[in-house]
Amino acid sequence: MNETIYFKQRQDGYKKVLANIKTNAHNRTDFENAIVEKIYRWWAEWQPDYEGWLKVADWLYASNCVIDAIGDEPQIYKVYREAMKHQRDTFTMDMGPIDNCLVEGDTLAISYNMYLTAKADIGPLKKGTTYKIKVTEFNKFANVEGYDEPMVVHLLLTSTTPGV
């Protein structure tokens, strides 16, 4: 895997969060610290290729997780996986570091930049051009039977693509 500057920033962000959790610098509950750690670990281990992404996504999202992200209707995680395969076939992806992270109870909100480079001309999107997309996610976590750490049970993802 080619390590980008964003890869290093994601790794550094995870190390910083681990230090904050160790001292409970933000005075969070154990559950809140667990979901913050998990989302930053997911970020640190995120992979741009589809198979690599599946390896980390399968321990983040519960199998029956509802995902409001791609398309007009919410999807169950297994259907979302297929949509992500199409996205990886269409674009080269990279994820910037988490810019903001807020957590309260079972819900964690993050914002970040996603970078998509078109593999072919697609309408107004031009092959080889990288598009920066601002993303906000709301992740609802729960303890799910069969897993030993909290899992995302609902994801709401919103994004804006300036200039497209």
Side-chain angles (χ1 to χ4, degrees), residues 54-141:
L54 282 178
K55 287 178 185 174
V56 292
D58 285 349
W59 60 257
L60 179 65
Y61 302 111
S63 59
N64 63 348
C65 178
V66 175
I67 299 182
D68 292 305
I70 296 175
D72 296 332
E73 298 295 323
Q75 302 167 317
I76 299 299
Y77 174 58
K78 68 180 178 180
V79 175
Y80 179 74
R81 287 168 48 120
E82 296 164 15
M84 291 305 293
K85 170 79 170 94
H86 174 72
Q87 189 176 51
R88 293 306 199 291
D89 290 345
T90 307
F91 298 97
T92 301
M93 290 182 73
D94 202 356
M95 307 292 266
I98 294 172
D99 296 324
N100 295 293
C101 177
L102 299 170
V103 62
E104 185 173 326
D106 63 0
T107 302
L108 181 143
I110 57 174
S111 64
Y112 56 91
N113 290 317
M114 178 189 312
Y115 301 90
L116 298 176
T117 304
K119 294 181 178 179
D121 289 346
I122 309 164
L125 307 178
K126 300 301 174 198
K127 179 181 178 179
T129 302
T130 299
Y131 298 90
K132 177 180 169 183
I133 301 169
K134 185 66 177 170
V135 179
T136 303
E137 290 187 11
F138 296 88
N139 294 275
K140 182 175 181 174
F141 283 82

